Amino acid sequence: MAATKFIIRVMLRIIQYPQMVGDELDGATHERMEQRAKYLRQEMTRLLQELEERSQEQRSQEQRGQEQSGFAWGALIITALQQWPFWVVAGVLVLLFGLCWQLRKRSREVDGSSDEESSSSDTDQEEEEEQEEEESEGEDPDDERDLGRIFAKRIHWPVQNLVYRSRVVEQVVADLIHVCQGLLSYSFLPVLQPAVGVGSAFEGWSPREEDIIYRLLVPLQPPRGHAFHLEPGTAREMLARNFCIRVELECTCMRDPLVVNMLCFLHHPEEELRRNQDPSLLRTLCTGSYLDVQKTARWFQNIVRSAWVVVPQSHRYKMNLLPSSQSCKLRLTNASRTTFFVEMMFGVQQGDSDIFLSSQSTEAILTPSTIWTESCAGAEVKFFRHMARQAPHNSFHLKCLQLCARILVGTGFSTYTLKTVVMHLLTTIPLSGWRRRDFLLRLQDIMQYLRCCLEEKRLDHFFFGNNNLPEEIILPPDFQTAEPLNLFQHLARDPAAHAEALREFSELQDRLTRLLFYGR
């Protein structure tokens, strides 16, 4: 009712103050226009009074229920449409369409209601945070930084519910790993540890609106009677350091005296071991003396297939294993056809640090199956969670990262490049400067930082030789003393690639401008 009155009053305002279309009208035409305007004002005033009277009658019949009330409104609007001028009909049709859509939305039953409530809660929270920010700052509306809020509102931000969905995935994977641990008890296969959520979905942002991939790292520890030794790969220049995991047998003669039927792989006869004990890890998942990525992936996929029927969520989700030679990829679909794409990678921790050797290779070329790539994904998640705790509750740093990642599609720039830029800026710009009002300024900083790195052909890896890291992030000793790794070293070697990168950067600037002005 309030919206209808608002439209009518706007129409009255237009009638009272008609737009000047020219000074060449004769007196008779001008008089006819004045009479017509007077007549329309009378009709609109009468209609407004009629709507007010009918609204009072409508409020006295509230007990009929929400659905009947909706149809009464529809009848009321239809009656009013018979008397309104044509140029008012368009506005009322918009109201009618909105009303029907609202009734239809409320009548639908959605299986994933918890997800939708979480989305509504997130949207309401953002609106409350924006209002609190405006009230607490008390800024002049003409302040140039107010443009940040204006443009931020124009952006079509995808509703992803990452927090809720990430928790769902974490719980499913945690239960799955627990079942697998039970199946592998007292075996001589890798010991599974609780999974660690990594990647953009667990960092609180995602460049994609749909088909988000939830990546988790499953740490592996050596089974009884075995030890892992990490050996650096080749010394050639590369964007990620490669390692091999050498598996070594250990004497268990004096260990685990309470473990029944545990024979030492080193000091018991080969025939006795073959007859009375499962084979060692060297004979199952290794190539030579080194842990094999592909063999480990196939083994884990078979375990997951067997364990899924026992997982509590198996009656709510249909699980499909997707092809992968380096990880375990799942597609989980519930009754409402909500789909989760999950990828579980395997990792071996470097000491007590947040750095792992991962089964997921980042190299563009084919690598031997015994190569494990050094991954900082665990440290990156800890960094973003640390920033989330330290930043103001209405911080926009993840929105900036998400928006910039959206414009990278079809270019040679990776989302990891943008994430590295944002991580560097988060440690140099005070966190109080990442609010909604600073939205445009921070986007400008991100693009300017990237441009400078392109011109200098150098973008330092965030974790190598960086003294500005939070204390809670634990790195191997060689990370602190190592020379910063240049992520743009390929541009320094290839002038053609450098020229193409500069051209694509210009395209990124154009894309960002269009996105800010058109919202998509």
Side-chain angles (χ1 to χ4, degrees):
M1 182 62 190
T4 307
K5 291 181 181 178
F6 174 75
I7 291 179
I8 295 177
R9 288 193 174 95
V10 170
M11 296 301 106
L12 283 172
R13 191 72 174 176
I14 295 174
I15 295 171
Q16 292 173 1
Y17 302 98
Q19 183 178 2
M20 301 299 295
V21 296
D23 296 330
E24 300 179 358
L25 297 177
D26 55 22
T29 302
H30 183 75
E31 183 178 357
R32 287 196 302 270
M33 291 180 63
E34 288 291 336
Q35 291 176 356
R36 182 60 178 171
K38 181 178 179 180
Y39 170 76
L40 290 176
R41 285 197 297 269
Q42 292 175 351
E43 287 296 308
M44 296 295 288
T45 302
R46 182 185 61 79
L47 184 58
L48 183 61
Q49 293 175 351
E50 181 180 346
L51 285 177
E52 182 66 28
E53 293 174 358
R54 296 192 181 189
S55 66
Q56 293 177 359
E57 297 177 1
Q58 187 70 22
R59 286 195 295 269
S60 66
Q61 299 176 357
E62 290 180 352
Q63 297 180 352
R64 293 182 179 181
Q66 183 177 8
E67 184 176 0
Q68 294 180 352
S69 177
F71 286 111
W73 268 108
L76 177 60
I77 293 176
I78 292 174
T79 302
L81 283 174
Q82 297 174 355
Q83 306 178 42
W84 288 8
F86 174 77
W87 46 272
V88 181
V89 172
V92 178
L93 286 176
V94 173
L95 277 177
L96 181 60
F97 175 80
L99 178 62
C100 294
W101 177 83
Q102 185 69 20
L103 289 174
R104 183 181 177 185
K105 178 181 178 182
R106 292 181 179 179
S107 65
R108 287 199 301 255
E109 294 183 0
V110 183
D111 181 68
S113 59
S114 299
D115 198 355
E116 295 180 356
E117 291 174 2
S118 175
S119 169
S120 176
S121 176
D122 292 343
T123 304
D124 295 341
Q125 183 178 0
E126 288 183 1
E127 294 177 353
E128 292 176 1
E129 290 173 353
E130 179 184 356
Q131 183 177 3
E132 291 176 2
E133 179 183 352
E134 294 175 352
E135 293 176 353
S136 62
E137 292 169 0
E139 293 185 54
D140 185 353
D142 295 331
D143 191 320
E144 62 179 5
R145 290 192 298 180
D146 228 34
L147 290 174
R149 294 195 189 95
I150 296 174
F151 279 99
K153 291 179 180 179
R154 295 174 61 88
I155 302 298
H156 172 66
W157 300 107
V159 180
Q160 298 173 325
N161 301 320
L162 286 179
V163 175
Y164 169 78
R165 291 173 178 263
S166 298
R167 289 174 180 171
V168 171
V169 172
E170 281 183 315
Q171 186 59 53
V172 172
V173 173
D175 293 341
L176 177 61
I177 295 297
H178 180 72
V179 175
C180 292
Q181 289 172 337
L183 295 177
L184 297 172
S185 298
Y186 303 109
S187 71
F188 300 105
L189 294 165
V191 180
L192 305 178
Q193 300 299 305
V196 179
V198 297
S200 60
F202 291 95
E203 292 166 353
W205 66 281
S206 180
R208 305 179 64 181
E209 184 172 356
E210 298 178 351
D211 298 340
I212 300 173
I213 300 177
Y214 298 86
R215 292 187 170 89
L216 299 99
L217 190 65
V218 181
L220 305 179
Q221 290 187 355
R224 297 165 297 154
H226 298 73
F228 289 161
H229 298 279
L230 312 184
E231 297 182 354
T234 59
R236 64 184 179 89
E237 267 192 326
M238 48 195 165
L239 296 183
R241 302 193 301 178
N242 292 337
F243 286 76
C244 293
I245 302 175
R246 182 167 56 86
V247 178
E248 187 178 84
L249 296 176
E250 291 185 333
C251 176
T252 57
C253 295
M254 303 301 296
R255 297 182 184 178
D256 301 327
L258 299 180
V259 177
V260 181
N261 297 329
M262 173 64 186
L263 304 178
C264 179
F265 284 107
L266 291 177
H267 300 113
H268 278 76
E270 187 75 20
E271 182 64 27
E272 184 180 1
L273 290 172
R274 186 165 45 249
R275 186 173 58 252
N276 299 321
Q277 189 163 270
D278 292 338
S280 70
L281 183 59
L282 284 171
R283 295 182 178 274
T284 54
L285 302 183
C286 292
T287 296
S289 300
Y290 296 96
L291 190 62
D292 191 293
V293 170
Q294 296 182 7
K295 292 180 179 179
T296 303
R298 288 195 297 268
W299 158 75
F300 187 77
Q301 292 167 10
N302 291 332
I303 291 294
V304 166
R305 187 180 289 107
S306 301
W308 178 252
V309 295
V310 190
V311 175
Q313 293 86 348
S314 60
H315 69 282
R316 293 205 307 261
Y317 293 94
K318 178 183 178 181
M319 187 272 289
N320 295 101
L321 276 169
L322 304 179
S324 176
S325 61
Q326 297 178 324
S327 61
C328 181
K329 296 182 179 180
L330 308 178
R331 182 176 61 233
L332 304 178
T333 308
N334 62 14
S336 63
R337 297 188 180 277
T338 300
T339 301
F340 297 89
F341 290 94
V342 182
E343 181 177 13
M344 288 179 284
M345 303 168 290
F346 322 110
V348 175
Q349 188 176 12
Q350 293 193 42
D352 296 327
S353 71
D354 296 315
I355 307 301
F356 288 81
L357 303 186
S358 171
S359 62
Q360 191 66 37
S361 175
T362 58
E363 293 291 317
I365 60 176
L366 295 176
T367 56
S369 59
T370 55
I371 293 296
W372 296 69
T373 302
E374 191 171 55
S375 172
C376 299
E380 291 165 6
V381 168
K382 289 187 67 174
F383 174 80
F384 279 102
R385 289 178 178 174
H386 171 82
M387 288 299 167
R389 291 192 299 268
Q390 300 297 321
H393 67 283
N394 53 6
S395 178
F396 236 59
H397 65 280
L398 293 178
K399 293 286 189 183
C400 291
L401 178 55
Q402 182 183 35
L403 184 68
C404 290
R406 285 168 61 180
I407 65 176
L408 299 180
V409 179
T411 70
F413 295 102
S414 66
T415 56
Y416 190 78
T417 296
L418 257 298
K419 185 166 75 169
T420 301
V421 169
V422 172
M423 288 192 294
H424 279 296
L425 290 175
L426 283 172
T427 57
T428 55
I429 299 176
L431 293 177
S432 59
W434 289 85
R435 298 187 180 187
R436 186 191 301 265
R437 62 174 186 173
D438 307 301
F439 178 54
L440 289 181
L441 295 176
R442 297 295 80 83
L443 288 180
Q444 181 180 359
D445 290 336
I446 293 172
M447 298 304 289
Q448 183 65 26
Y449 193 100
L450 178 58
R451 179 177 181 176
C452 292
C453 291
L454 287 173
E455 292 175 348
E456 297 176 3
K457 306 174 187 177
R458 182 170 191 86
L459 174 60
D460 289 340
H461 193 286
F462 184 68
F463 292 101
F464 283 90
N466 189 349
N467 297 322
N468 295 326
L469 296 176
E471 294 182 357
E472 65 183 81
I473 297 180
I474 304 174
L475 300 176
D478 61 330
F479 269 62
Q480 303 171 9
T481 58
E483 288 293 327
L485 189 66
N486 182 16
L487 300 182
F488 282 172
Q489 59 187 3
H490 63 291
L491 301 181
R493 294 194 303 260
D494 188 348
H498 181 234
E500 177 66 14
L502 291 175
R503 187 196 66 79
E504 289 186 334
F505 176 78
S506 179
E507 181 180 347
L508 291 183
Q509 289 182 311
D510 293 339
R511 290 185 181 184
L512 182 59
T513 301
R514 291 195 299 268
L515 185 59
L516 289 173
F517 276 96
Y518 298 106
R520 294 178 183 270

